[in-house]
Amino acid sequence: MPLVIAGAGMAGLVAGARARELGLEPLVLEKGSRPGGSMLLSSGVVWRHRSFEDFRAECPGGDPALQRLIHDRLDDALDWLERLGAPVVARETGNPLTVGRRFETSGLTEALGRTAGEVHLRRTVQRGHEGPLVLATGGFPAALAERLGLILRANPWSTGDGLWLARGRGAAIAGDLDEFYGRNLPAPPARVGEEGFVPLAQLYGRQALVVNLDGVAFGPDPPSWSETDLAQATARQSWGRAWYVVDGRALAHPDVAGQVAAAEEAGGEVRRADTVGGLALELPPSDKLVEPPFAAVLVQAAVTQTMGGIRVDDHARVLREDSSVIDDLYAAGADAGGISTGGYSSGLAAALVLGLAAAEAAAA
């Protein structure tokens, strides 16, 4: 009976490629119209925290065994991707807190697909499926974004199929199903297509006065380095929206000025003025608004990846509430929960390492 892999994003393609290397004949099914999942839409950076202690401090609620697996195995896994022919764009992440590599995502998808074999598009796993199965359907960001009224910053096919299939077979949950990794994007009427998921991310919350639609400042001050906590705080505001207000000191930074201009070009609501009063917003006094000119950008939280999901062990085997293993059932990528709980870590790294682990456990 073949190993069936549900999903052809990073985790599914990795599992398929590794399974074929180990002599299996995997059957890779993809619900959508193309392989690559949300990985194809990402910046392509696959990274880890510099030390395991940093990982634990950043994500204190996560499963230590899974975190250890990802931290210890990632470097070799990145070498494996390169041996498959995945094109490396940069060998640094651009962040002094992390190490990893940036891949060109279409080339990465192609390299994994060559090894994994044919991907059967617009196909899903049938209920009652028997035999070895890897769940790699990308979590449920589309369902969560719809429920919370937020922007979806991921592929539209990840609606929770893997989670609900696993739950039907007695799987336990790990992590918080409402916790997500995301970004604040220019709010409608801005036009944000898939090509804008990375360049339109508004990542200057540390330099901005952040207020909700009532003009009340909120959120972590300062936000974490990733600003994921700020996106989650924005999601809890009315309509999941906020204003980012900056002064001339912030706008002197090319990155901030470029992100504000990108929001403006995308049709977002951007207000510019030489005085704070000229922005026509109710704003509290702030030492972040001192020097003209001033700009305000209306943003909305966007869901990229869910953090809660199926409980697995460090072989990617799905577990019941009593920690017993469900035979022939594995989960990888965003379908596996409880890794980044309470913080932020690389979803692509988890997909890579757990995809490898799932294939190896299935072949053992």
Side-chain angles (χ1 to χ4, degrees), residues 26 154 159 223 279 286-287 299:
T159 58
L279 296 173
S286 173
D287 60 7
V299 301

Side-chain angles (χ1 to χ4, degrees), residues 18 48 67-80 314-315 349 352-358 360:
R18 183 62 177 142
R48 62 168 174 83
Q67 292 174 346
R68 174 62 76 181
L69 174 72
I70 293 164
H71 181 271
D72 289 355
R73 192 168 180 187
L74 182 62
D75 294 354
D76 287 342
L78 294 174
D79 291 340
W80 176 79
D314 55 5
H315 296 285
L352 171 56
V353 171
L354 286 176
L356 292 169
E360 290 161 3

Side-chain angles (χ1 to χ4, degrees), residues 188-214:
R191 302 172 299 278
V192 182
E194 291 182 346
E195 70 286 349
F197 286 171
V198 174
L200 287 175
Q202 302 292 291
L203 285 169
Y204 48 94
R206 283 176 170 266
Q207 292 101 329
L209 171 64
V210 182
V211 299
N212 63 22
L213 299 185
D214 295 321

Side-chain angles (χ1 to χ4, degrees), residues 107-132:
L108 174 56
T109 301
E110 182 181 355
L112 286 169
R114 280 197 307 268
T115 309
E118 182 180 3
V119 174
H120 300 267
L121 300 176
R122 298 184 175 87
R123 292 272 305 277
T124 59
V125 177
Q126 299 302 307
R127 287 185 177 274
H129 170 82
E130 296 183 358

Side-chain angles (χ1 to χ4, degrees), residues 42-47 92-93 98 100-103 105 346 348-349:
S42 74
S43 63
V45 180
V46 189
W47 59 271
E92 301 287 341
T93 65
T98 65
R101 295 169 212 173
R102 181 189 295 269
F103 293 88
T105 56
S346 170
L348 292 181

Side-chain angles (χ1 to χ4, degrees), residues 201-258:
Q202 302 292 291
L203 285 169
Y204 48 94
R206 283 176 170 266
Q207 292 101 329
L209 171 64
V210 182
V211 299
N212 63 22
L213 299 185
D214 295 321
V216 177
F218 72 91
D221 187 19
S224 68
W225 65 270
S226 68
E227 299 196 11
T228 297
D229 52 353
L230 182 54
Q232 292 179 11
T234 303
R236 295 190 288 270
Q237 307 305 308
S238 178
W239 299 94
R241 295 187 179 188
W243 287 97
Y244 278 12
V245 190
V246 294
D247 73 357
R249 294 170 300 175
L251 290 170
H253 293 277
D255 288 347
V256 177

Side-chain angles (χ1 to χ4, degrees), residues 18-360:
R18 183 62 177 142
R20 195 167 293 278
E21 282 186 337
L22 294 172
L24 301 182
E25 293 293 331
L27 177 63
V28 183
L29 308 180
E30 169 53 51
K31 180 181 182 180
S33 59
R34 56 155 179 81
S38 294
M39 174 267 287
L40 190 63
L41 312 176
S42 74
S43 63
V45 180
V46 189
W47 59 271
R48 62 168 174 83
H49 298 89
R50 286 194 172 270
S51 72
F52 177 68
E53 291 71 25
D54 291 341
F55 199 161
R56 290 295 300 147
E58 177 72 20
C59 305
D63 184 325
L66 295 178
Q67 292 174 346
R68 174 62 76 181
L69 174 72
I70 293 164
H71 181 271
D72 289 355
R73 192 168 180 187
L74 182 62
D75 294 354
D76 287 342
L78 294 174
D79 291 340
W80 176 79
L81 285 180
E82 284 201 57
R83 288 196 297 272
L84 294 186
V88 175
V89 175
R91 298 189 180 277
E92 301 287 341
T93 65
N95 183 339
L97 300 176
T98 65
V99 294
R101 295 169 212 173
R102 181 189 295 269
F103 293 88
E104 194 279 308
T105 56
S106 61
L108 174 56
T109 301
E110 182 181 355
L112 286 169
R114 280 197 307 268
T115 309
E118 182 180 3
V119 174
H120 300 267
L121 300 176
R122 298 184 175 87
R123 292 272 305 277
T124 59
V125 177
Q126 299 302 307
R127 287 185 177 274
H129 170 82
E130 296 183 358
L133 173 63
V134 176
L135 301 173
T137 66
F140 51 98
L144 184 64
E146 182 177 12
R147 178 166 67 81
L148 298 180
L150 305 178
I151 298 171
L152 176 64
R153 187 175 175 263
N155 79 78
W157 308 299
S158 293
T159 58
D161 296 0
L163 175 63
W164 308 127
L165 192 154
R167 289 291 280 171
R169 292 180 58 175
I173 293 297
D176 182 349
L177 295 183
D178 284 334
E179 189 177 8
F180 68 91
Y181 154 63
R183 291 283 184 250
N184 283 337
L185 295 175
R191 302 172 299 278
V192 182
E194 291 182 346
E195 70 286 349
F197 286 171
V198 174
L200 287 175
Q202 302 292 291
L203 285 169
Y204 48 94
R206 283 176 170 266
Q207 292 101 329
L209 171 64
V210 182
V211 299
N212 63 22
L213 299 185
D214 295 321
V216 177
F218 72 91
D221 187 19
S224 68
W225 65 270
S226 68
E227 299 196 11
T228 297
D229 52 353
L230 182 54
Q232 292 179 11
T234 303
R236 295 190 288 270
Q237 307 305 308
S238 178
W239 299 94
R241 295 187 179 188
W243 287 97
Y244 278 12
V245 190
V246 294
D247 73 357
R249 294 170 300 175
L251 290 170
H253 293 277
D255 288 347
V256 177
Q259 289 164 34
V260 172
E264 202 167 31
E265 186 176 348
E269 186 168 355
V270 178
R271 301 181 184 181
R272 297 182 184 268
D274 291 327
T275 65
V276 173
L279 296 173
L281 294 173
E282 293 290 335
L283 299 172
S286 173
D287 60 7
K288 292 183 176 180
L289 303 180
V290 176
E291 297 182 8
F294 303 91
V297 180
L298 184 63
V299 301
Q300 185 169 16
V303 180
T304 302
Q305 178 186 323
T306 45
M307 293 186 180
I310 303 164
R311 186 178 170 197
V312 300
D313 67 8
D314 55 5
H315 296 285
R317 299 177 300 185
V318 175
L319 303 177
R320 300 183 180 90
E321 291 288 351
D322 63 2
S323 297
S324 62
V325 173
I326 299 176
D327 290 341
D328 284 340
L329 188 61
Y330 311 88
D335 279 358
I339 298 169
S340 302
T341 304
Y344 173 56
S345 65
S346 170
L348 292 181
L352 171 56
V353 171
L354 286 176
L356 292 169
E360 290 161 3

